[in-house]
Structure formats: structure tokens, C-alpha cells
Amino acid sequence: MSEAGTAELPEKPPRGTFSFRPVFRLRKTDEFSSVFALRRTQRSRHFVIHHGPVKASGPDAETGPRLGVVVAKRHLKRAHDRNLVKRLAREAFRHARAGLRPLDLVLRLNSRPDGLDRKALRAELDQLFGRMRPPAVAPDAGPSSGKPPVPEPAS
């Protein structure tokens, strides 16, 4: 309690932590093309993530992952269905962004979902973005030489 006798409120996280600002987006054709040219991918049942190193430059250049979303009309004919998938993808990215490696990512719908079940698609997107996280390092791990530690001989 503070001196005035009122309970102090816990600190709120900073505003905009989960924002999807323009610097976090791939917008230009060249940005998408450079990611597609690298041919590095992660796949799930309905989605493919193409990824490559961040190539942002200029005053808005910020380190961290950026996202572009491609939903072809041949997979989802109706615009509101395509927009739903894009919204789900951006939402999943916003929540996963803090734990992702600094990469340019292009998420592409690869096949038509049987039904547009929001929870199932979101779970699939979360799992796919989870694969893009850097590998966890054990706190007691020594230098990353790739060799197991050698036990010291007992005297």
C-alpha cells in the first residue's frame, strides 16, 4: 500500500507491444520476390512460410521479423474468406513476433482449408510460427562447440 492507503496497481505492459506497424510488413513486390527467390520454407497442412534475412533499409529500418501474406483467389474464391485468413495470420504473427528470429517471412496459403475453422487455422499458424523461433539454449550449456562436456577425472 502507498502512503495514502490505496493499493498500487501493477504496471501495465507498454502500449503497442503487439502492434503490427508498417515497419513490420512486407509491402513491395521486390521484398516479396527476394524472399521467394531464396526458396527456404517451412510447411504445414495449409500454409507455407518462405523466409530469408531481413533486407530493410532507410529511416524505418528496424531489426526484427517482417511479414507478408499471400492468399490466392484459386484457394479461396470469396474476398471475405481471404481477408479472414489474412487477419488470422497477422494476429498470430503479432503475438509470436517477440520470440521470432529477425527474418523476412512470407506466409502463403498452399491449399484450400476444408472449412474455415478459426481455431484450427490459428492453431496451425501458431505451430508454424513456433518453428521459426530460435532454438532454445540450456542455461547450463557451455560453449556451443557441438561436443558434449568432458567430465573431469576424480583424484
Side-chain angles (χ1 to χ4, degrees):
M1 293 194 122
S2 65
E3 295 174 15
T6 60
E8 292 183 22
L9 298 174
E11 279 190 44
K12 291 182 181 180
R15 287 183 67 114
T17 303
F18 294 116
S19 66
F20 190 59
R21 299 188 342 232
V23 295
F24 301 153
R25 302 175 192 166
L26 296 178
R27 291 177 288 187
K28 298 179 182 174
T29 304
D30 292 343
E31 294 171 338
F32 280 83
S33 297
S34 66
V35 176
F36 284 131
L38 294 171
R39 299 191 182 271
R40 294 185 195 149
T41 61
Q42 292 286 329
R43 297 179 182 274
S44 69
R45 183 172 176 208
H46 298 108
F47 297 99
V48 175
I49 288 186
H50 299 266
H51 55 92
V54 174
K55 294 188 178 183
S57 60
D60 287 339
E62 196 171 303
T63 58
R66 299 187 309 158
L67 178 71
V69 182
V70 178
V71 180
K73 197 183 281 188
R74 69 180 170 161
H75 296 306
L76 293 173
K77 299 286 185 207
R78 295 182 290 190
H80 67 271
D81 291 338
R82 292 192 303 273
N83 291 338
L84 170 67
V85 171
K86 289 178 187 179
R87 254 191 335 268
L88 289 171
R90 287 191 300 263
E91 179 77 6
F93 175 77
R94 285 186 323 107
H95 288 275
R97 185 180 184 282
L100 296 176
R101 293 180 287 183
L103 297 169
D104 281 348
L105 307 170
V106 175
L107 180 78
R108 183 171 56 89
L109 184 67
N110 198 36
S111 65
R112 179 173 180 15
D114 299 330
L116 289 177
D117 180 14
R118 293 173 190 225
K119 288 184 180 181
L121 288 174
R122 175 62 193 265
E124 185 177 343
L125 288 165
D126 288 340
Q127 185 261 341
L128 194 55
F129 282 125
R131 289 193 224 157
M132 301 307 297
R133 288 192 170 93
V137 177
D140 60 342
S144 59
S145 63
K147 298 178 184 175
V150 179
E152 295 185 24
S155 10

